[in-house]
Amino acid sequence: MIKNIFILIVLFFITNSCTRDDICSGETPTTPLLIITFNDSNNPTARKSVTGLTVRLANSSALSFFKNDPNDSIAIPLNTNSRTTSFIIIRDIDGPTQNSDTINFSYENNAVYINRACGFKNNFIGLDRTIGEGNDGLWVLRSTINKTTVEDEIEAHITIFH
């Protein structure tokens, strides 16, 4: 009887003795999203919303990452298993002036160890982009890279002017 109680106590402490390293806090930074802001091409310091904005992976039938009306910034994930990610960004998705452009991002992956519970996060270094028009002309007039390293979600990494 005492032996059984002792075994139960030992099992209780073994199953309920997680250390701090066993749980990844929700506040721990993970792989950051790419932050893109949209500005007015005539007034470069002023934000300008995009009506009917939709962003989806190029060459994929996957659902859109983002659809919101209107919006002047987005946060989208880069592919951690590749050195490139391509998106199709569509303006006025449900309207008569729908227009799509393709943005190709290139970068180097840099895996950073966080801790035992959280594992690794990826930072993206040397961020660059090319913009291609669809069959309907460019709606993205130009873009600026604000930060070539994507390691947090505090500031915009890319500004698109339209």
Side-chain angles (χ1 to χ4, degrees):
M1 175 78 167
I2 294 178
K3 182 180 178 182
N4 291 341
I5 293 173
F6 178 75
I7 291 174
L8 285 175
I9 292 171
V10 169
L11 286 175
F12 174 79
F13 283 109
I14 288 174
T15 59
N16 291 316
S17 61
C18 291
T19 64
R20 183 172 169 86
D21 285 349
D22 291 338
I23 300 170
C24 185
S25 167
E27 298 170 5
T28 302
T30 57
T31 298
L33 298 174
L34 178 71
I35 308 295
I36 301 173
T37 56
F38 297 95
N39 285 22
D40 188 339
S41 62
N42 295 322
N43 184 4
T45 59
R47 291 279 185 94
K48 182 178 178 184
S49 294
V50 179
T51 304
L53 177 65
T54 300
V55 178
R56 67 178 173 85
L57 279 171
N59 302 320
S60 173
S61 60
L63 295 175
S64 300
F65 279 117
F66 193 82
K67 182 177 178 184
N68 202 353
D69 193 23
N71 210 329
D72 67 359
S73 64
I74 56 174
I76 53 178
L78 294 174
N79 187 343
T80 59
N81 296 320
S82 177
R83 291 181 167 184
T84 62
T85 305
S86 297
F87 294 100
I88 296 174
I89 56 172
I90 306 166
R91 174 190 76 182
D92 198 22
I93 186 74
D94 296 322
T97 59
Q98 177 177 332
N99 192 322
S100 63
D101 292 341
T102 302
I103 299 183
N104 303 301
F105 294 103
S106 60
Y107 46 83
E108 294 291 325
N109 283 307
N110 181 29
V112 177
Y113 181 73
I114 299 172
N115 60 36
R116 188 175 78 182
C118 299
F120 289 85
K121 77 172 196 167
N122 273 18
N123 290 332
F124 306 99
I125 299 170
L127 180 68
D128 200 5
R129 85 299 178 205
T130 56
I131 299 175
E133 63 183 292
N135 297 331
D136 44 15
L138 282 171
W139 69 270
V140 173
L141 300 178
R142 65 185 175 92
S143 64
T144 301
I145 297 177
N146 305 325
K147 295 174 73 175
T148 58
T149 300
V150 180
E151 59 188 354
D152 60 42
E153 298 174 3
I154 297 171
E155 297 176 16
H157 304 104
I158 304 278
T159 300
I160 290 178
F161 300 91
H162 64 104

